[in-house]
Amino acid sequence: MKRLVVVPGSFDPPTNGHVDIISRASKLFDSVIVLVSKNTLKKSLFSTEERVEMLQEIFHNYKNITVDVCDSLVAVYAKEKGAVALVRGLRNTGDYSYESEIWHVNRTINSALETVFLPASNKFSAIRSSSIRELALYNQDVSLFVPPVVALKIKQLKNA
Ligand code: ADP
């Protein structure tokens, strides 16, 4: 049986931490869907379409990674696709508390759905999208924390 997993998130913007988790998931499972949640926040940096495009560009060399958009519940989407699990990255105990609550909710919707937690790699464990948005807002260099395509897009935002 082919094992498909879904890596859901807002990815606003995608960071090196996300890339690390997604590429590690692609080595563990047969295929990976990176699922971009439609942003309901007014203060999002990038539109859903832009986030999808950046992720497609980042993973274009990975044959088993695709990118999709979700406008329903992630657990429902995963059931429809026949995914065996969601994959989430854990940076710290705060992430764990939050994620374990979500896991319980997801199980009520899709009782077969597992969640696999991958610990953040040391060098990425302090990176979060909200910090990148903040740095971008104040025109700071973010190239240490995000893939080149994202850094370029952020530069273009500044010049727009
Ligand atoms: P959310 O919007 O739910 O906070 P994100 O879109 O920021 O989620 O991230 C999606 C997933 O990536 C989550 O599982 C999150 O824990 C994980 N993640 C985010 N940043 C990192 C990082 N630096 N290292 C590892 N995992 C991360």
Side-chain angles (χ1 to χ4, degrees):
M1 189 180 85
K2 293 268 183 216
R3 296 198 168 264
L4 163 73
V5 291
V6 173
V7 186
S10 37
F11 307 106
D12 185 37
T15 69
N16 290 340
H18 293 135
V19 174
D20 182 54
I21 294 294
I22 295 162
S23 55
R24 282 161 60 199
S26 80
K27 291 185 194 128
L28 290 172
F29 297 98
D30 296 307
S31 52
V32 174
I33 299 177
V34 181
L35 191 62
V36 179
S37 53
K38 286 205 168 166
N39 226 337
T40 44
L41 294 175
K42 280 194 196 114
K43 279 170 75 179
S44 68
L45 192 60
F46 291 109
S47 69
T48 311
E49 294 71 26
E50 288 172 314
R51 286 177 276 139
V52 167
E53 274 172 29
M54 285 186 278
L55 287 161
Q56 280 170 337
E57 167 80 21
I58 293 164
F59 293 111
H60 76 276
N61 280 330
Y62 290 74
K63 288 203 171 63
N64 67 341
I65 300 178
T66 52
V67 183
D68 199 3
V69 174
C70 183
D71 45 20
S72 64
L73 288 168
V74 170
V76 173
Y77 176 96
K79 194 174 198 169
E80 282 167 9
K81 291 285 175 182
V84 292
L86 304 180
V87 173
R88 300 284 287 172
L90 289 186
R91 284 162 293 205
N92 48 44
T93 52
D95 272 359
Y96 178 74
S97 306
Y98 173 74
E99 294 292 343
S100 59
E101 283 175 20
I102 302 286
W103 180 76
H104 285 292
V105 175
N106 282 341
R107 293 286 275 201
T108 64
I109 298 164
N110 177 351
S111 61
L113 185 66
E114 289 291 352
T115 296
V116 174
F117 296 126
L118 295 182
S121 300
N122 262 344
K123 57 182 175 174
F124 303 128
S125 64
I127 303 177
R128 58 181 64 247
S129 293
S130 58
S131 313
I132 305 298
R133 291 199 295 277
E134 184 95 0
L135 290 170
L137 195 67
Y138 292 102
N139 292 333
Q140 297 297 309
D141 182 22
V142 295
S143 54
L144 281 179
F145 312 120
V146 299
V149 59
V150 177
L152 186 68
K153 267 278 199 186
I154 289 176
K155 255 195 186 149
Q156 287 167 348
L157 277 183
K158 282 193 245 169
N159 298 331

